[in-house]
Amino acid sequence: MKVNTGHLSYCTNIHAGKNWAEDFKSLQQNFPVIKAALSPEQPMGLGLRLSNAASLELIGEASLKAFSQWLKANSAYVFTMNGFPYGEFHHTIVKEQVHAPDWTTEERKNYTLRLFHILKQLLPEGMEGGISTSPLSYRHWFKSTEALEEARKTATLHLVEVLKELVVIHRETGRNMHLDIEPEPDGILETGREFIDWFENDLLPLGIPEIRAAFKLSSAEAETLIKNHLCLCYDVCHFAIGYEDHAAVVTALEQKGIKVGKIQISAALKADLTGPEPENIKRSFEAFNEPTYLHQVVALKNDGSLLRYPDLPEALAGLEKGVTQWRAHFHVPISIKKIGLLESTQDDILTVLEIQKQKPFTKHLEVETYTWEVLPESLKLPITQSISNELQWVVNTEI
């Protein structure tokens, strides 16, 4: 739905579905209830998530026509998509396989191109569209510096192939779409700084000659096209886990002329470990130790350094001396601040939304709390109520 600074929706990766038929059924059951609660009189957007299997089914002419008709009948529209998880995302062990196949593969490239051709058909006239994606790959799969560098190069060249297609689509149809890289803990691109460095030191040097040759442009024109079609997905949860300075990241992006494709409005878990109950706090984290997703932990030490754990069990195995805070990659409801002895990183969301209010830096706002099925029962509301509460909380910030 339209808010003061852009378009707000939720990511449909909260709904379980193995194929397009199941995805569509979930939308038909849940979206009208959510829209009636949040935007009964105005159109409401969707942040559509499709697996590879679902995308192969939806791209068929009959399926796309039926979905387009349903969108129109329900005063709904698609402006952003989540192209990060390729395969099943619920009722299975996902963990680091959320990155697979990664950007070193043709499978990831072809899946993403297919998503853009679907979005091209669904995107309302005059509205920009975006698709978020993996930060190249999972860094721990590469056991040497040489292997990691080769993966960065191969992945970047595959991304450039997608950018070429986006240029062609824009020229042929007028539809402007961007691919939004989503840094996350233990991705090859993990932080705002790593994303900016990759953009300047890998993407532009590799991409400018390719775009320049493909479209017979100057280097400056090629750079402009890259910056139009390759953006950052600002997942607040992921940046909060890394204790990032949101204002500094947004300012650095602006100074470099790098765009933010969307803000994913999401919250992580955190706790202060300097008080009298560190062991009880540790036990509180154990309630979130479930086997489906990676729940990386980043610990802040009293000297300001960070200690990174690849998953919650490794952090729970022992409490390091000198650690003052834990932050864990578990997407909890954004409308909740206190969770027993733990807290959410809701304050980080408020900081980012305030920056957006003062000087908008994107048009796409998407609530992403995909962990509903694996939340502790004390936090679990009926799914339509949970989503509606989160969206209403964002609306109440007057974003």
Side-chain angles (χ1 to χ4, degrees), residues 1 11 70 131 134 139 145 181 187 209 231 234 289 297 301 305 341 363 367 394:
M1 59 188 167
C11 183
W70 180 84
I131 297 176
S134 159
R139 67 171 61 203
T145 301
I181 304 292
C231 304
Y234 201 110
N289 184 23
V297 174
K301 302 187 76 172
S305 62
L341 293 176
K363 296 178 181 177
V367 172
V394 177

Side-chain angles (χ1 to χ4, degrees), residues 104-176:
T104 66
T105 68
E106 291 286 329
E107 289 88 349
R108 171 65 65 171
K109 181 187 76 173
N110 293 336
Y111 161 63
T112 306
L113 287 168
R114 189 181 313 116
L115 293 182
F116 274 115
H117 281 280
I118 290 171
L119 184 57
K120 176 183 69 175
Q121 300 296 324
L122 300 175
L123 191 63
E125 196 72 34
M127 191 178 296
E128 70 175 58
I131 297 176
S132 52
T133 191
S134 159
L136 310 190
S137 187
Y138 183 64
R139 67 171 61 203
H140 297 305
W141 285 339
F142 306 98
K143 304 306 181 183
S144 68
T145 301
E146 294 76 17
L148 187 61
E149 286 305 309
E150 185 61 30
R152 286 170 68 100
K153 181 178 180 180
T154 302
T156 302
L157 288 171
H158 280 149
L159 286 163
V160 172
E161 291 301 309
V162 175
L163 300 188
K164 289 179 185 177
E165 184 68 8
L166 295 182
V167 173
V168 171
I169 292 172
H170 192 198
R171 289 184 169 189
E172 290 180 348
T173 70
R175 296 189 183 278
N176 186 26

Side-chain angles (χ1 to χ4, degrees), residues 250-262:
V250 172
T251 297
L253 291 165
E254 182 182 19
Q255 290 173 344
K256 303 289 187 180
I258 301 172
K259 297 178 182 179
V260 174
K262 72 176 165 186

